[in-house]
């Protein structure tokens, strides 16, 4: 079997693997520290009822996206939704960074939490770009 990798298929595979790693890491970390994550979500500038609902939804979404990205038949859909979710997260981070909220909460996972808002914003933008390459790429 000859593998014919071109630049587009390499970016497609690399971006999906990086998203799988990101979503798996963040989802599992939030799941293992669920009470702390839910408490951090309740510290957000949204109603507490929404925060209580969003905490498990975010975990399920992250782990679900990781699963979608593993299978060939759902990889493109997973890449599209990964890009969308990352865009939502990045928009929120941009608003926090610009001072749009009265307090600066963070419910991020692991090393991402220690990046600072500018670093976190740039990290997310990088993943959005990867996601776009992934959406436009093709399976080898």
């Amino acid at each position: 079997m000859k593998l014919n990798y071109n630049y587009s298929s390499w970016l497609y595979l690399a971006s999906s693997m990086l998203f799988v790693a990101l979503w798996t890491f963040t989802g599992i970390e939030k799941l293992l520290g669920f009470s702390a994550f839910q408490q951090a979500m309740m510290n957000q500038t949204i109603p507490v009822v929404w925060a209580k609902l969003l905490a498990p939804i975010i975990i399920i979404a992250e782990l679900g996206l990781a699963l979608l990205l593993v299978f060939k038949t759902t990889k493109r859909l997973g890449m599209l939704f990964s890009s969308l979710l990352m865009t939502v997260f990045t928009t929120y981070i941009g608003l926090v960074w610009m001072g749009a909220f009265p307090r600066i909460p963070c419910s991020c996972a692991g090393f991402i939490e220690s990046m600072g808002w500018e670093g976190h914003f740039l990290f997310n933008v990088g993943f959005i770009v990867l996601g776009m390459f992934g959406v436009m790429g093709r399976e080898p």
Side-chain angles (χ1 to χ4, degrees), residues 40-117:
M41 286 297 295
M42 292 186 327
N43 188 38
Q44 302 295 318
T45 57
I46 58 175
V48 172
V49 174
W50 291 9
K52 285 183 178 182
L53 288 172
L54 275 176
I57 289 170
I58 288 172
I59 294 169
I60 291 166
E62 289 177 346
L63 294 174
L65 286 171
L67 277 175
L68 285 175
L69 290 163
V70 168
F71 300 105
K72 188 175 185 174
T73 57
T74 57
K75 190 175 286 192
R76 188 166 308 277
L77 183 64
M79 192 61 67
L80 183 62
F81 284 127
S82 290
S83 300
L84 178 63
L85 185 59
M86 191 57 73
T87 300
V88 169
F89 288 164
T90 306
T91 301
Y92 174 75
I93 290 165
L95 289 170
V96 169
W97 188 25
M98 292 180 350
F101 301 111
R103 61 183 185 279
I104 304 175
C106 185
S107 55
C108 310
F111 70 94
I112 297 169
E113 191 173 11
S114 65
M115 286 182 171
W117 295 111

